[in-house]
Structures are given as C-alpha cells and as structure tokens.
C-alpha cells in the first residue's frame, strides 16, 4: 500500500491522464449529479404524496396500457423484473394498482389502475410538468430540445 515514504507510482500514460483529468468534465459524474438533482426536485414537490419518480412512471404506463403484465411494465420502464415486482407489490398494498391473474397465463399478472391511483395521478401530473420545467430551467430555452435529444441518443439502443 502506498504511503508518504513510498508514494504511488503510475505508468507514464496514466500519469498524463491524471494530469488532464477534471471531474467537472466527466459525463458520467455530471449525469449522476443531474440525476440526484432531479430526484431532489421530485422528492421536494411530492413528499406528501409518498411517491417516487419510478412509481409515478409505472402508474402512467399502467393507465396508458390497462391490463399489461408486470413483465411488460418492466420493459416499458427499462427496469429489471424483480424490482418492478416489488414496486408493484407496494403499489397494490397502497391501493394504487390492482393485480389480477392474466387470463391467458396464470403465472402472469395483469395490472390496472385503481380509483386511488387515478386520483394520485390527477394530483401529481400537473405538478410533475412543473418539476420537469424546473429541472431544465438552467439550460437556455433553445438548448432544451437538443439536450433531451442527446439524452435519448445515449439511452435508446442503436438500431444499425
């Protein structure tokens, strides 16, 4: 282990890279910080609602596709099935979703929004658009569509 008597020695190539390294220019670091900022804004606005951004997205997707399966929901949310299963379990326990056995596959569950889930979306969605506006407000207005396009290019699989 390096100590003050025996300092760490990097290869010349790595030493040059360390000298050029600026954390404020590292995309993954900036994306992580932006993600935390987005989470903070959402949590501050919706603390009383006790809902997470992923739960809100799940409720919206189920509203848009009533009767979809948990596996299909996981696909829409780009989340793993086990995580979605746990989230669905909590949303059902909170009375926001209803889960029924799928008619064509007894191993699968179909999901439906409950009246309480619909009421929650009615309260959250208008304010959610304001959270999104606040998130992007530091960007010049003309850059916002380009920023979103760049994020989409990063996360959408390449079809070439």
């Amino acid at each position: 282990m390096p100590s003050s008597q025996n300092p760490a020695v990097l290869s010349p190539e790595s030493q040059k890279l360390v000298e050029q390294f600026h954390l404020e220019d590292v995309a993954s670091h900036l994306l992580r910080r932006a993600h935390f900022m987005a989470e903070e804004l959402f949590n501050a606005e919706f603390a009383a609602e006790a809902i997470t951004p992923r739960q809100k997205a799940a409720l919206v997707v189920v509203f848009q596709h009533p009767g979809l399966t948990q596996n299909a929901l996981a696909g829409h949310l780009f989340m793993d099935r086990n995580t979605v299963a746990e989230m669905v379990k909590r949303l059902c326990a909170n009375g926001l979703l209803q889960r029924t056995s799928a008619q064509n596959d007894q191993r699968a569950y179909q999901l439906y929004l409950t009246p309480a889930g619909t009421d929650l979306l009615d309260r959250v969605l208008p304010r959610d658009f304001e959270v999104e506006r606040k998130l992007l407000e530091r960007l010049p207005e003309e850059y916002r569509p380009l920023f979103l396009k760049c994020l989409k290019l990063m996360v959408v699989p390449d079809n070439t």
Side-chain angles (χ1 to χ4, degrees):
M1 172 170 253
S3 68
S4 59
Q5 292 86 19
N6 185 14
V9 177
L10 294 172
S11 68
E13 178 185 7
S14 292
Q15 182 64 40
K16 185 175 180 180
L17 292 171
V18 164
E19 290 166 6
Q20 297 170 358
F21 184 88
H22 300 284
L23 192 56
E24 65 273 8
D25 295 329
V26 176
S28 58
H29 174 72
L30 294 171
L31 285 169
R32 182 182 60 79
R33 288 182 56 199
H35 171 76
F36 285 141
M37 188 174 135
E39 295 276 322
E40 276 183 31
L41 283 170
F42 188 93
N43 292 335
E45 180 64 33
F46 298 112
E49 304 292 352
I51 188 170
T52 68
R54 282 151 296 287
Q55 290 171 336
K56 176 210 61 178
L59 294 176
V60 169
V61 170
V62 171
F63 180 82
Q64 291 171 334
H65 306 280
L68 87 162
T69 64
Q70 282 185 192
N71 287 343
L73 178 61
H76 281 279
L77 298 175
F78 296 92
M79 294 172 63
D80 72 87
R81 293 184 316 206
N82 292 331
T83 301
V84 169
E86 285 300 314
M87 180 173 57
V88 165
K89 191 183 206 180
R90 285 189 303 278
L91 291 169
C92 288
N94 291 335
L96 302 172
L97 283 182
Q98 178 183 4
R99 181 171 59 177
T100 61
S101 293
Q103 293 176 355
N104 58 349
D105 183 354
Q106 293 303 306
R107 297 169 297 164
Y109 289 109
Q110 289 182 287
L111 304 172
Y112 299 92
L113 213 57
T114 65
T118 303
D119 290 345
L120 180 62
L121 281 183
D122 272 336
R123 291 191 311 272
V124 166
L125 287 178
R127 292 167 33 219
D128 185 54
F129 281 94
E130 179 62 15
V131 169
E132 292 294 315
R133 188 199 62 74
K134 285 180 187 176
L135 181 62
L136 296 174
E137 74 183 358
R138 290 186 180 181
L139 296 177
E141 196 168 335
E142 65 271 16
Y143 289 9
R144 294 171 194 172
L146 177 60
F147 176 73
L148 292 173
K149 183 176 182 173
C150 289
L151 288 175
K152 289 176 187 176
L153 287 170
M154 291 180 75
V155 301
V156 174
D158 186 18
N159 291 330
T160 58

